[in-house]
Amino acid sequence: MAEDIGRNDPCHCGSGKKYKKCHLEKDEQSGRKEREKSQIEAAKVLEKEKEAAESSGKEVSPAHQPKRPVESQNPGWFKKVAGRMGFSGSTQRRAPTSNKGG
């Protein structure tokens, strides 16, 4: 889209409905498809560069290699923060404390 449309603005098709009730989902799906296509193309280009580098004996530059997840970069720091946030040991988050006055 050329301009940003807010969720509560009138739809660009002229139906009189709010954008979120009319075209939001359709536009998001088309955007998702475009992003998927570009990711596939980028993966193909990366694979071709990697094959060309392997055949010529050169290494792939670090800029073209996928990044490691945060956990593998510094596991001690990640576990420490995860423990403080209530994510340690399981994938469930702890229940928030109640803020009832008393």
Side-chain angles (χ1 to χ4, degrees), residues 37-83:
K37 285 180 184 178
S38 65
Q39 288 175 346
I40 290 170
E41 284 295 318
K44 287 179 183 178
V45 169
L46 180 62
E47 188 64 30
K48 286 181 183 179
E49 288 178 358
K50 190 175 181 181
E51 288 174 2
E54 287 176 356
S55 66
S56 66
K58 296 180 181 177
E59 289 188 21
V60 179
S61 67
H64 294 287
Q65 294 177 351
K67 293 184 177 181
R68 297 182 300 170
V70 173
E71 298 167 7
S72 62
Q73 291 175 0
N74 192 349
W77 175 85
F78 187 79
K79 288 180 182 177
K80 185 177 178 182
V81 172

